[in-house]
Amino acid sequence: MTEAEIEALARAVRRDVIRMVAAAGSGHPGGSLSAADILAVLYSVVMRVDPARPDDPDRDRFILSKGHAAPALYAVLAERGYFAPSELLELRRVNSRLQGHPDMRKIPGVDASTGSLGQGLAIAAGLALAARVTGRDYQVYTLLGDGETAEGMVWEAAMAAAHYRLDNLTAIVDVNGLQIDGRTADVMNPAPLDAKWEAFGWQVVETDGHDPGALLAALAVAMRTRGGPTVILAHTVKGKGVSFMENRAEWHGKAPNAEQTALALAELEGGAA
Amino acid sequence: MTENIATRDAYGQELLALGAEDPRVVALDADLSGSTKTSLFARAYPERFFNMGIAEQDMMGFAAGLAAGGLIPFASTFAIFAAGRALEPIRNSIAYPRLNVKIAATHAGLTVGEDGASHQALEDVAWLRAVPHMTVLAPADAVETRLVVRAAAARAGPVYIRLGRPAVPVLFGADYRFEIGRMNVLREGRDAVIVANGLMVAAALQAAEILAAEGIEAAVLNGASVKPLDTETLLFWAARAGAVVTAEEHSIIGGLGSAVAEALGEGCPVPLERVGVRDCFGESGQPDALLAKYGLTPAAVAAAARAAVARKK
């Protein structure tokens, strides 16, 4: 898959996100849009997964620690063929498989149930450790929010993953700089993220979280690294691709109205994401 | 003379045995392996033992991941830290997705002893019993503990096993059987029913002797399987005797006493007296002195039975 095709997938994911959240009348567009390129890169060329065999014990795993970006995860799974894209509009409805936050028992391709922030890294690390115990050769990827790193459990898991030298584990932080209550730097400043992760024993790679080529290069570094885990600090724009949502904290967890939805879809139609 | 063995010791032995039988069994601890007895497993199977340090929430997250990777993790620490500190990761990362994690929590109840209230879990059964998909087991002695650990390993999904610090009498023989969701009838009686678990089973059996000397025949049921609760056996004996007592080393709020009260209220409303810690924290002291002070004795169970019998219409 070419970078242009990855970009096209990311655009499709963004359009799906807007349609899903609009149809549901609630959800988290901002952090879903910031994560769209990361998910598109992972599910198009990086992860060894087969949508027809979502339970393959040798598959690579992805855990959405920032579970509120579920619309983006569902969209990329549907676009890759794990289930029908027509189901996407059932997000957040009663009796739907598409829960507001990911449920691994309902949707094929979801590798952990998440939503309560701070827990995905520990689950991912446990899965990475399980590969060692069971003699399997798979990679585990997890995506965290930068605001999420205020959770203490993130750093418990970071310490343990380095202690157990989990080099099949890659964490990606979606550094969009915003959280519900405002700028992450104002709410609870996580800076310096690079020095923190380094101090916890991780290899740190900084990259543009919207550039497929840069993300691929960063993930290649993580894949090559032996002896310990890698974190990719992916610098992103919250609400990326929809002008009136970009860098606006109020779009963390709000659905667009009909007019805004039309405007957002027009911006995402065909053009560069 | 009766042999005394701590249920945590029996757990350590059975975990070791499971480790030999099933390569999927792994163990985690949070810097208390010498106390929880996972150290036995750690010595035998170092490649399958993971000390997570003093980080109980992280331990539960790792356990979830190990289970998602096809293993059968046993995660151990003191009950207050397992069920208390890590409750929400257990709920969201283990129970909600029904992952195959076994939480073996030791040092439950007052008999932690001298460490005092901060370390005495008196609410853990209440916390875990309220979580969907969770099985909650509180064995009475070393024999039952080994059967409980084995049953937990064989059961798909999350299980909480409540274990104690002190050596307690071995009550059961080699022919004893345990089944999740079944109450064992340890003694029959037509005047009252005592439902107990953990170390209060021994107290209940002694209370039944005291009562028998007074002409009150009390049945004793083992409520080791707090969830699922064997309501069929409970209701049968409750209807027959018409008076029920519960006895547990736990708060009277939310534990075995509450589970029995719920079942009786819906299925067989008869007088009920609950023996347990009465909505307060514990304190430092020798285990036996604490059990005496907080009313967890055979005499207290017998008194509760007399009170329940007296309330019969």
Side-chain angles (χ1 to χ4, degrees), chain A residues 200-247:
Chain A
F200 276 77
W202 287 59
Q203 171 177 242
V204 179
V205 181
E206 306 240 13
T207 191
D208 178 344
H210 297 307
D211 178 345
L215 282 166
L216 282 169
L219 288 160
V221 170
M223 174 76 91
R224 277 198 305 273
T225 301
R226 293 287 173 270
T230 298
V231 61
I232 296 170
L233 302 178
H235 295 276
T236 60
V237 173
K238 195 153 186 163
K240 174 74 173 177
V242 177
S243 60
F244 58 90
M245 290 184 178
E246 287 189 358
N247 280 318

mmCIF file of all heavy atoms in Angstrom, chain A residues 200-247:
data_model
loop_
_atom_site.group_PDB
_atom_site.id
_atom_site.type_symbol
_atom_site.label_atom_id
_atom_site.label_comp_id
_atom_site.label_asym_id
_atom_site.label_seq_id
_atom_site.Cartn_x
_atom_site.Cartn_y
_atom_site.Cartn_z
ATOM 1 N N PHE A 200 11.991 6.337 32.340
ATOM 2 C CA PHE A 200 11.358 5.060 32.687
ATOM 3 C C PHE A 200 11.950 3.895 31.885
ATOM 4 O O PHE A 200 11.473 2.770 32.000
ATOM 5 C CB PHE A 200 9.837 5.140 32.481
ATOM 6 C CG PHE A 200 9.119 5.729 33.671
ATOM 7 C CD1 PHE A 200 9.120 7.095 33.914
ATOM 8 C CD2 PHE A 200 8.466 4.899 34.578
ATOM 9 C CE1 PHE A 200 8.472 7.632 35.015
ATOM 10 C CE2 PHE A 200 7.819 5.431 35.689
ATOM 11 C CZ PHE A 200 7.817 6.802 35.913
ATOM 12 N N GLY A 201 12.943 4.169 31.065
ATOM 13 C CA GLY A 201 13.649 3.085 30.388
ATOM 14 C C GLY A 201 13.162 2.784 28.990
ATOM 15 O O GLY A 201 13.431 1.704 28.467
ATOM 16 N N TRP A 202 12.473 3.715 28.370
ATOM 17 C CA TRP A 202 11.942 3.495 27.028
ATOM 18 C C TRP A 202 12.784 4.218 25.983
ATOM 19 O O TRP A 202 13.308 5.305 26.238
ATOM 20 C CB TRP A 202 10.507 4.022 26.931
ATOM 21 C CG TRP A 202 9.492 3.181 27.658
ATOM 22 C CD1 TRP A 202 9.482 2.883 28.992
ATOM 23 C CD2 TRP A 202 8.343 2.542 27.095
ATOM 24 N NE1 TRP A 202 8.394 2.089 29.290
ATOM 25 C CE2 TRP A 202 7.672 1.873 28.146
ATOM 26 C CE3 TRP A 202 7.802 2.466 25.802
ATOM 27 C CZ2 TRP A 202 6.496 1.144 27.951
ATOM 28 C CZ3 TRP A 202 6.632 1.745 25.609
ATOM 29 C CH2 TRP A 202 5.997 1.082 26.664
ATOM 30 N N GLN A 203 12.863 3.615 24.808
ATOM 31 C CA GLN A 203 13.379 4.343 23.656
ATOM 32 C C GLN A 203 12.282 5.295 23.176
ATOM 33 O O GLN A 203 11.134 4.887 23.031
ATOM 34 C CB GLN A 203 13.746 3.375 22.531
ATOM 35 C CG GLN A 203 14.085 4.109 21.229
ATOM 36 C CD GLN A 203 14.515 3.153 20.140
ATOM 37 O OE1 GLN A 203 15.631 3.218 19.662
ATOM 38 N NE2 GLN A 203 13.622 2.263 19.759
ATOM 39 N N VAL A 204 12.641 6.550 22.949
ATOM 40 C CA VAL A 204 11.655 7.562 22.548
ATOM 41 C C VAL A 204 11.914 7.999 21.112
ATOM 42 O O VAL A 204 13.045 8.318 20.745
ATOM 43 C CB VAL A 204 11.728 8.785 23.487
ATOM 44 C CG1 VAL A 204 10.722 9.846 23.054
ATOM 45 C CG2 VAL A 204 11.478 8.361 24.931
ATOM 46 N N VAL A 205 10.852 7.981 20.310
ATOM 47 C CA VAL A 205 10.925 8.487 18.941
ATOM 48 C C VAL A 205 9.841 9.550 18.780
ATOM 49 O O VAL A 205 8.684 9.299 19.092
ATOM 50 C CB VAL A 205 10.694 7.361 17.910
ATOM 51 C CG1 VAL A 205 10.797 7.916 16.493
ATOM 52 C CG2 VAL A 205 11.681 6.223 18.119
ATOM 53 N N GLU A 206 10.240 10.727 18.333
ATOM 54 C CA GLU A 206 9.248 11.790 18.105
ATOM 55 C C GLU A 206 8.934 11.846 16.617
ATOM 56 O O GLU A 206 9.830 11.697 15.767
ATOM 57 C CB GLU A 206 9.814 13.148 18.555
ATOM 58 C CG GLU A 206 10.305 13.135 19.986
ATOM 59 C CD GLU A 206 9.586 14.135 20.875
ATOM 60 O OE1 GLU A 206 8.544 14.684 20.464
ATOM 61 O OE2 GLU A 206 10.087 14.336 22.002
ATOM 62 N N THR A 207 7.656 12.078 16.317
ATOM 63 C CA THR A 207 7.300 12.137 14.900
ATOM 64 C C THR A 207 6.041 12.973 14.692
ATOM 65 O O THR A 207 5.324 13.287 15.640
ATOM 66 C CB THR A 207 7.081 10.716 14.330
ATOM 67 O OG1 THR A 207 7.001 10.801 12.917
ATOM 68 C CG2 THR A 207 5.809 10.091 14.873
ATOM 69 N N ASP A 208 5.815 13.292 13.420
ATOM 70 C CA ASP A 208 4.577 13.947 13.017
ATOM 71 C C ASP A 208 3.502 12.861 12.922
ATOM 72 O O ASP A 208 3.623 11.944 12.108
ATOM 73 C CB ASP A 208 4.797 14.628 11.660
ATOM 74 C CG ASP A 208 3.534 15.301 11.122
ATOM 75 O OD1 ASP A 208 2.421 15.011 11.622
ATOM 76 O OD2 ASP A 208 3.661 16.113 10.181
ATOM 77 N N GLY A 209 2.483 12.974 13.732
ATOM 78 C CA GLY A 209 1.447 11.944 13.779
ATOM 79 C C GLY A 209 0.455 11.984 12.640
ATOM 80 O O GLY A 209 -0.493 11.189 12.622
ATOM 81 N N HIS A 210 0.653 12.888 11.699
ATOM 82 C CA HIS A 210 -0.237 12.947 10.537
ATOM 83 C C HIS A 210 0.489 12.625 9.236
ATOM 84 O O HIS A 210 -0.113 12.660 8.171
ATOM 85 C CB HIS A 210 -0.887 14.337 10.433
ATOM 86 C CG HIS A 210 -1.750 14.664 11.607
ATOM 87 N ND1 HIS A 210 -2.757 13.828 12.050
ATOM 88 C CD2 HIS A 210 -1.756 15.721 12.457
ATOM 89 C CE1 HIS A 210 -3.351 14.360 13.110
ATOM 90 N NE2 HIS A 210 -2.744 15.504 13.383
ATOM 91 N N ASP A 211 1.773 12.334 9.317
ATOM 92 C CA ASP A 211 2.580 12.062 8.121
ATOM 93 C C ASP A 211 2.835 10.558 8.029
ATOM 94 O O ASP A 211 3.635 10.013 8.802
ATOM 95 C CB ASP A 211 3.906 12.833 8.235
ATOM 96 C CG ASP A 211 4.835 12.563 7.060
ATOM 97 O OD1 ASP A 211 4.605 11.592 6.304
ATOM 98 O OD2 ASP A 211 5.802 13.327 6.909
ATOM 99 N N PRO A 212 2.164 9.868 7.119
ATOM 100 C CA PRO A 212 2.317 8.410 7.047
ATOM 101 C C PRO A 212 3.778 7.971 6.900
ATOM 102 O O PRO A 212 4.202 6.998 7.536
ATOM 103 C CB PRO A 212 1.499 8.017 5.814
ATOM 104 C CG PRO A 212 0.486 9.104 5.676
ATOM 105 C CD PRO A 212 1.179 10.362 6.147
ATOM 106 N N GLY A 213 4.531 8.701 6.099
ATOM 107 C CA GLY A 213 5.927 8.322 5.897
ATOM 108 C C GLY A 213 6.722 8.431 7.187
ATOM 109 O O GLY A 213 7.511 7.540 7.537
ATOM 110 N N ALA A 214 6.479 9.500 7.929
ATOM 111 C CA ALA A 214 7.195 9.693 9.193
ATOM 112 C C ALA A 214 6.766 8.643 10.218
ATOM 113 O O ALA A 214 7.588 8.111 10.966
ATOM 114 C CB ALA A 214 6.932 11.102 9.722
ATOM 115 N N LEU A 215 5.459 8.336 10.245
ATOM 116 C CA LEU A 215 4.966 7.308 11.174
ATOM 117 C C LEU A 215 5.556 5.942 10.840
ATOM 118 O O LEU A 215 5.970 5.189 11.728
ATOM 119 C CB LEU A 215 3.432 7.243 11.128
ATOM 120 C CG LEU A 215 2.685 8.341 11.901
ATOM 121 C CD1 LEU A 215 1.215 8.372 11.488
ATOM 122 C CD2 LEU A 215 2.815 8.117 13.403
ATOM 123 N N LEU A 216 5.613 5.635 9.537
ATOM 124 C CA LEU A 216 6.188 4.351 9.118
ATOM 125 C C LEU A 216 7.648 4.256 9.537
ATOM 126 O O LEU A 216 8.102 3.210 10.016
ATOM 127 C CB LEU A 216 6.073 4.197 7.593
ATOM 128 C CG LEU A 216 4.688 3.801 7.079
ATOM 129 C CD1 LEU A 216 4.626 3.943 5.562
ATOM 130 C CD2 LEU A 216 4.362 2.369 7.505
ATOM 131 N N ALA A 217 8.372 5.348 9.390
ATOM 132 C CA ALA A 217 9.790 5.344 9.776
ATOM 133 C C ALA A 217 9.938 5.129 11.282
ATOM 134 O O ALA A 217 10.789 4.349 11.742
ATOM 135 C CB ALA A 217 10.446 6.659 9.356
ATOM 136 N N ALA A 218 9.080 5.816 12.056
ATOM 137 C CA ALA A 218 9.152 5.675 13.515
ATOM 138 C C ALA A 218 8.807 4.248 13.933
ATOM 139 O O ALA A 218 9.466 3.661 14.806
ATOM 140 C CB ALA A 218 8.190 6.664 14.175
ATOM 141 N N LEU A 219 7.772 3.686 13.320
ATOM 142 C CA LEU A 219 7.367 2.318 13.663
ATOM 143 C C LEU A 219 8.434 1.307 13.232
ATOM 144 O O LEU A 219 8.620 0.270 13.888
ATOM 145 C CB LEU A 219 6.010 1.992 13.021
ATOM 146 C CG LEU A 219 4.836 2.714 13.695
ATOM 147 C CD1 LEU A 219 3.616 2.770 12.775
ATOM 148 C CD2 LEU A 219 4.483 2.018 15.017
ATOM 149 N N ALA A 220 9.154 1.610 12.161
ATOM 150 C CA ALA A 220 10.244 0.728 11.731
ATOM 151 C C ALA A 220 11.367 0.731 12.761
ATOM 152 O O ALA A 220 11.970 -0.310 13.049
ATOM 153 C CB ALA A 220 10.759 1.160 10.359
ATOM 154 N N VAL A 221 11.643 1.895 13.330
ATOM 155 C CA VAL A 221 12.660 1.977 14.387
ATOM 156 C C VAL A 221 12.221 1.117 15.584
ATOM 157 O O VAL A 221 13.009 0.349 16.145
ATOM 158 C CB VAL A 221 12.870 3.444 14.828
ATOM 159 C CG1 VAL A 221 13.729 3.499 16.092
ATOM 160 C CG2 VAL A 221 13.501 4.253 13.709
ATOM 161 N N ALA A 222 10.947 1.249 15.953
ATOM 162 C CA ALA A 222 10.434 0.467 17.085
ATOM 163 C C ALA A 222 10.547 -1.023 16.811
ATOM 164 O O ALA A 222 10.938 -1.806 17.682
ATOM 165 C CB ALA A 222 8.978 0.840 17.356
ATOM 166 N N MET A 223 10.210 -1.418 15.595
ATOM 167 C CA MET A 223 10.247 -2.837 15.221
ATOM 168 C C MET A 223 11.660 -3.397 15.299
ATOM 169 O O MET A 223 11.873 -4.533 15.722
ATOM 170 C CB MET A 223 9.697 -2.972 13.793
ATOM 171 C CG MET A 223 9.792 -4.353 13.209
ATOM 172 S SD MET A 223 8.530 -5.435 13.890
ATOM 173 C CE MET A 223 7.230 -5.166 12.692
ATOM 174 N N ARG A 224 12.646 -2.589 14.901
ATOM 175 C CA ARG A 224 14.040 -3.056 14.866
ATOM 176 C C ARG A 224 14.667 -3.142 16.254
ATOM 177 O O ARG A 224 15.620 -3.868 16.466
ATOM 178 C CB ARG A 224 14.888 -2.084 14.024
ATOM 179 C CG ARG A 224 14.833 -2.296 12.541
ATOM 180 C CD ARG A 224 16.015 -1.606 11.857
ATOM 181 N NE ARG A 224 16.107 -0.187 12.169
ATOM 182 C CZ ARG A 224 15.467 0.780 11.504
ATOM 183 N NH1 ARG A 224 14.688 0.473 10.495
ATOM 184 N NH2 ARG A 224 15.609 2.044 11.849
ATOM 185 N N THR A 225 14.127 -2.366 17.181
ATOM 186 C CA THR A 225 14.775 -2.227 18.481
ATOM 187 C C THR A 225 14.658 -3.504 19.304
ATOM 188 O O THR A 225 13.595 -4.101 19.392
ATOM 189 C CB THR A 225 14.145 -1.049 19.258
ATOM 190 O OG1 THR A 225 14.318 0.125 18.480
ATOM 191 C CG2 THR A 225 14.812 -0.882 20.616
ATOM 192 N N ARG A 226 15.766 -3.906 19.901
ATOM 193 C CA ARG A 226 15.781 -5.082 20.765
ATOM 194 C C ARG A 226 16.129 -4.659 22.183
ATOM 195 O O ARG A 226 16.842 -3.687 22.393
ATOM 196 C CB ARG A 226 16.824 -6.095 20.272
ATOM 197 C CG ARG A 226 16.496 -6.725 18.936
ATOM 198 C CD ARG A 226 15.349 -7.733 19.062
ATOM 199 N NE ARG A 226 14.908 -8.229 17.760
ATOM 200 C CZ ARG A 226 13.956 -7.665 17.014
ATOM 201 N NH1 ARG A 226 13.345 -6.566 17.448
ATOM 202 N NH2 ARG A 226 13.607 -8.163 15.854
ATOM 203 N N GLY A 227 15.612 -5.386 23.133
ATOM 204 C CA GLY A 227 16.020 -5.192 24.520
ATOM 205 C C GLY A 227 15.109 -4.317 25.354
ATOM 206 O O GLY A 227 15.284 -4.232 26.570
ATOM 207 N N GLY A 228 14.133 -3.660 24.716
ATOM 208 C CA GLY A 228 13.229 -2.817 25.503
ATOM 209 C C GLY A 228 12.141 -2.213 24.648
ATOM 210 O O GLY A 228 12.186 -2.288 23.414
ATOM 211 N N PRO A 229 11.159 -1.620 25.292
ATOM 212 C CA PRO A 229 10.017 -1.049 24.569
ATOM 213 C C PRO A 229 10.332 0.316 23.976
ATOM 214 O O PRO A 229 11.248 1.005 24.422
ATOM 215 C CB PRO A 229 8.949 -0.941 25.659
ATOM 216 C CG PRO A 229 9.725 -0.721 26.923
ATOM 217 C CD PRO A 229 11.013 -1.484 26.766
ATOM 218 N N THR A 230 9.548 0.682 22.972
ATOM 219 C CA THR A 230 9.688 1.979 22.321
ATOM 220 C C THR A 230 8.383 2.753 22.447
ATOM 221 O O THR A 230 7.301 2.171 22.320
ATOM 222 C CB THR A 230 10.014 1.797 20.821
ATOM 223 O OG1 THR A 230 11.266 1.111 20.705
ATOM 224 C CG2 THR A 230 10.096 3.143 20.099
ATOM 225 N N VAL A 231 8.501 4.051 22.692
ATOM 226 C CA VAL A 231 7.327 4.922 22.654
ATOM 227 C C VAL A 231 7.501 5.916 21.518
ATOM 228 O O VAL A 231 8.598 6.465 21.324
ATOM 229 C CB VAL A 231 7.094 5.649 24.000
ATOM 230 C CG1 VAL A 231 8.264 6.544 24.377
ATOM 231 C CG2 VAL A 231 5.792 6.446 23.954
ATOM 232 N N ILE A 232 6.444 6.082 20.749
ATOM 233 C CA ILE A 232 6.437 7.077 19.678
ATOM 234 C C ILE A 232 5.575 8.238 20.132
ATOM 235 O O ILE A 232 4.379 8.065 20.392
ATOM 236 C CB ILE A 232 5.889 6.469 18.366
ATOM 237 C CG1 ILE A 232 6.821 5.347 17.889
ATOM 238 C CG2 ILE A 232 5.730 7.551 17.297
ATOM 239 C CD1 ILE A 232 6.271 4.523 16.738
ATOM 240 N N LEU A 233 6.193 9.381 20.295
ATOM 241 C CA LEU A 233 5.438 10.593 20.628
ATOM 242 C C LEU A 233 4.983 11.197 19.312
ATOM 243 O O LEU A 233 5.773 11.822 18.592
ATOM 244 C CB LEU A 233 6.306 11.566 21.433
ATOM 245 C CG LEU A 233 6.872 11.005 22.754
ATOM 246 C CD1 LEU A 233 7.751 12.051 23.447
ATOM 247 C CD2 LEU A 233 5.740 10.544 23.672
ATOM 248 N N ALA A 234 3.722 10.949 18.980
ATOM 249 C CA ALA A 234 3.174 11.375 17.695
ATOM 250 C C ALA A 234 2.474 12.709 17.875
ATOM 251 O O ALA A 234 1.424 12.794 18.513
ATOM 252 C CB ALA A 234 2.205 10.314 17.171
ATOM 253 N N HIS A 235 3.081 13.739 17.330
ATOM 254 C CA HIS A 235 2.519 15.083 17.492
ATOM 255 C C HIS A 235 1.384 15.279 16.498
ATOM 256 O O HIS A 235 1.569 15.113 15.292
ATOM 257 C CB HIS A 235 3.622 16.128 17.320
ATOM 258 C CG HIS A 235 4.662 16.020 18.409
ATOM 259 N ND1 HIS A 235 4.508 16.621 19.631
ATOM 260 C CD2 HIS A 235 5.825 15.302 18.477
ATOM 261 C CE1 HIS A 235 5.550 16.317 20.404
ATOM 262 N NE2 HIS A 235 6.364 15.508 19.722
ATOM 263 N N THR A 236 0.231 15.603 17.033
ATOM 264 C CA THR A 236 -0.978 15.652 16.224
ATOM 265 C C THR A 236 -1.765 16.922 16.507
ATOM 266 O O THR A 236 -1.447 17.692 17.416
ATOM 267 C CB THR A 236 -1.886 14.445 16.534
ATOM 268 O OG1 THR A 236 -2.235 14.490 17.916
ATOM 269 C CG2 THR A 236 -1.199 13.126 16.212
ATOM 270 N N VAL A 237 -2.794 17.103 15.708
ATOM 271 C CA VAL A 237 -3.739 18.207 15.885
ATOM 272 C C VAL A 237 -5.092 17.596 16.227
ATOM 273 O O VAL A 237 -5.619 16.781 15.459
ATOM 274 C CB VAL A 237 -3.850 19.050 14.595
ATOM 275 C CG1 VAL A 237 -4.960 20.096 14.725
ATOM 276 C CG2 VAL A 237 -2.507 19.714 14.284
ATOM 277 N N LYS A 238 -5.616 17.974 17.381
ATOM 278 C CA LYS A 238 -6.933 17.454 17.748
ATOM 279 C C LYS A 238 -7.962 17.979 16.752
ATOM 280 O O LYS A 238 -7.952 19.151 16.401
ATOM 281 C CB LYS A 238 -7.288 17.886 19.172
ATOM 282 C CG LYS A 238 -8.453 17.109 19.766
ATOM 283 C CD LYS A 238 -8.365 17.068 21.277
ATOM 284 C CE LYS A 238 -9.452 16.174 21.859
ATOM 285 N NZ LYS A 238 -9.176 15.794 23.240
ATOM 286 N N GLY A 239 -8.837 17.088 16.280
ATOM 287 C CA GLY A 239 -9.845 17.494 15.297
ATOM 288 C C GLY A 239 -9.299 17.592 13.880
ATOM 289 O O GLY A 239 -9.964 18.139 12.990
ATOM 290 N N LYS A 240 -8.110 17.034 13.639
ATOM 291 C CA LYS A 240 -7.405 17.183 12.356
ATOM 292 C C LYS A 240 -8.286 16.847 11.145
ATOM 293 O O LYS A 240 -8.924 15.796 11.104
ATOM 294 C CB LYS A 240 -6.181 16.257 12.353
ATOM 295 C CG LYS A 240 -5.427 16.197 11.030
ATOM 296 C CD LYS A 240 -4.624 17.457 10.793
ATOM 297 C CE LYS A 240 -3.752 17.304 9.545
ATOM 298 N NZ LYS A 240 -3.006 18.548 9.251
ATOM 299 N N GLY A 241 -8.308 17.776 10.189
ATOM 300 C CA GLY A 241 -9.021 17.551 8.942
ATOM 301 C C GLY A 241 -10.338 18.293 8.845
ATOM 302 O O GLY A 241 -10.897 18.424 7.765
ATOM 303 N N VAL A 242 -10.823 18.760 9.977
ATOM 304 C CA VAL A 242 -12.072 19.549 9.986
ATOM 305 C C VAL A 242 -11.726 20.898 10.597
ATOM 306 O O VAL A 242 -11.435 20.986 11.796
ATOM 307 C CB VAL A 242 -13.175 18.837 10.798
ATOM 308 C CG1 VAL A 242 -14.435 19.706 10.852
ATOM 309 C CG2 VAL A 242 -13.484 17.468 10.201
ATOM 310 N N SER A 243 -11.744 21.929 9.752
ATOM 311 C CA SER A 243 -11.147 23.214 10.148
ATOM 312 C C SER A 243 -11.705 23.742 11.461
ATOM 313 O O SER A 243 -10.958 24.194 12.327
ATOM 314 C CB SER A 243 -11.352 24.242 9.034
ATOM 315 O OG SER A 243 -12.746 24.425 8.801
ATOM 316 N N PHE A 244 -13.022 23.644 11.622
ATOM 317 C CA PHE A 244 -13.603 24.257 12.829
ATOM 318 C C PHE A 244 -13.451 23.375 14.069
ATOM 319 O O PHE A 244 -13.789 23.801 15.168
ATOM 320 C CB PHE A 244 -15.081 24.613 12.592
ATOM 321 C CG PHE A 244 -15.970 23.457 12.210
ATOM 322 C CD1 PHE A 244 -16.613 22.710 13.180
ATOM 323 C CD2 PHE A 244 -16.156 23.136 10.863
ATOM 324 C CE1 PHE A 244 -17.434 21.665 12.819
ATOM 325 C CE2 PHE A 244 -16.972 22.072 10.502
ATOM 326 C CZ PHE A 244 -17.612 21.335 11.477
ATOM 327 N N MET A 245 -12.947 22.170 13.899
ATOM 328 C CA MET A 245 -12.695 21.308 15.060
ATOM 329 C C MET A 245 -11.222 21.322 15.473
ATOM 330 O O MET A 245 -10.889 20.937 16.590
ATOM 331 C CB MET A 245 -13.092 19.856 14.752
ATOM 332 C CG MET A 245 -14.586 19.616 14.632
ATOM 333 S SD MET A 245 -14.928 17.861 14.395
ATOM 334 C CE MET A 245 -16.729 17.889 14.361
ATOM 335 N N GLU A 246 -10.353 21.755 14.563
ATOM 336 C CA GLU A 246 -8.917 21.639 14.833
ATOM 337 C C GLU A 246 -8.494 22.510 16.016
ATOM 338 O O GLU A 246 -8.857 23.688 16.088
ATOM 339 C CB GLU A 246 -8.112 22.023 13.576
ATOM 340 C CG GLU A 246 -8.189 20.944 12.503
ATOM 341 C CD GLU A 246 -7.240 21.174 11.334
ATOM 342 O OE1 GLU A 246 -6.527 22.199 11.332
ATOM 343 O OE2 GLU A 246 -7.212 20.314 10.431
ATOM 344 N N ASN A 247 -7.765 21.873 16.913
ATOM 345 C CA ASN A 247 -7.206 22.565 18.085
ATOM 346 C C ASN A 247 -8.268 23.215 18.970
ATOM 347 O O ASN A 247 -8.008 24.229 19.600
ATOM 348 C CB ASN A 247 -6.176 23.619 17.654
ATOM 349 C CG ASN A 247 -4.836 22.987 17.336
ATOM 350 O OD1 ASN A 247 -4.377 22.096 18.069
ATOM 351 N ND2 ASN A 247 -4.224 23.406 16.250
#
